[in-house]
Amino acid sequence: MRHRTRTDAGQAFPIYVVMVAGLLFLAFVFFAVGKAAALRNGAQGAADAAALAAAQQTREQFKGPFLASLPGKMLDPFLQAHPVMGCPAAYGLASANRARVTNCQPIPGGLRDRIRVEVKGRDAVDSPVVPNTKRTFATTEATAVIEFRCPDWESADFNDDGVQDMYFFTCRGGQMLQIAPGSPPPWSQVSKILYDVHLVDN
């Protein structure tokens, strides 16, 4: 009986080794999957931050063209074709979030411009058990919108000299804004009223 017990134990040992090896392999695979998901989430955060930064920088750069368009009654044409210029800001935000911008594409849309940013994470999945992961990096994209909030507006020529002295904007939510071309308010105050910046689904 003792001899049979030692034989059974010897036969079971390789099975235990295989089971332990299989469990370790599965643990490494689950770890790789979890790391890949975490890296993708990080890359998505970097893309979101980069797209918002690009949109916000573009909004800040609207000041000169926007104010220059008012006296000549060129507001509507300007709003239909204003440029998107904020991609440089996307690179800094992506880098701060351990990613790099692979593409920053402005998509003019009249009163609703879009900026699409694609990023690639800097950290590879690099799993010892999953092949081809040493050069596998998380890639994703995000799109931000710059939307004009005040499509209803009118102007006033107080001196009847053909030059508009004041512009009155009615914005979404009933918010009112007045701009005198000769002495405009600080752009940092009015830009957030005139333009809304937010993320949208790609």
Side-chain angles (χ1 to χ4, degrees):
M1 294 295 293
R2 291 179 182 177
H3 178 71
R4 183 177 300 177
T5 301
R6 286 195 299 269
T7 302
D8 292 342
Q11 292 176 347
F13 182 75
I15 299 176
Y16 293 147
V17 172
V18 172
M19 291 178 61
V20 171
L23 290 174
L24 288 175
F25 177 79
L26 289 176
F28 279 118
V29 170
F30 285 133
F31 176 79
V33 172
K35 183 178 180 181
L39 291 175
R40 178 170 176 78
N41 288 338
Q44 187 62 60
D48 292 345
L52 284 174
Q56 290 168 353
Q57 185 183 50
T58 298
R59 180 175 62 185
E60 293 172 1
Q61 294 173 336
F62 281 170
K63 177 181 179 180
F66 183 90
L67 296 177
S69 71
L70 295 177
K73 296 184 179 180
M74 295 296 292
L75 181 62
D76 278 343
F78 167 71
L79 293 176
Q80 293 293 332
H82 51 267
V84 177
M85 303 168 287
C87 286
Y91 291 89
L93 263 294
S95 179
N97 288 275
R98 299 198 58 77
R100 65 181 181 87
V101 174
T102 58
N103 186 36
C104 181
Q105 180 183 7
I107 307 173
L111 304 184
R112 201 169 188 265
D113 287 344
R114 294 170 179 256
I115 298 180
R116 179 179 297 123
V117 176
E118 300 174 5
V119 306
K120 183 177 183 178
R122 290 183 176 177
D123 299 321
V125 177
D126 194 13
S127 171
V129 297
V130 180
N132 302 321
T133 56
K134 288 186 177 181
R135 295 186 178 182
T136 300
F137 301 87
T139 59
T140 187
E141 63 181 34
T143 302
V145 162
I146 311 165
E147 188 170 6
F148 188 61
R149 300 181 60 250
C150 313
D152 296 327
W153 62 275
E154 58 185 13
S155 60
D157 179 6
F158 299 128
N159 302 321
D160 294 327
D161 58 359
V163 177
Q164 303 304 305
D165 300 300
M166 187 72 71
Y167 284 80
F168 304 91
F169 295 88
T170 301
C171 306
R172 289 201 302 265
Q175 193 169 9
M176 307 294 294
L177 177 65
Q178 299 180 13
I179 294 180
S183 57
W187 185 249
S188 59
Q189 296 179 9
V190 302
S191 62
K192 294 180 177 63
I193 299 175
L194 290 169
Y195 294 97
D196 182 36
V197 171
H198 58 272
L199 294 171
V200 295
D201 294 333
N202 295 308

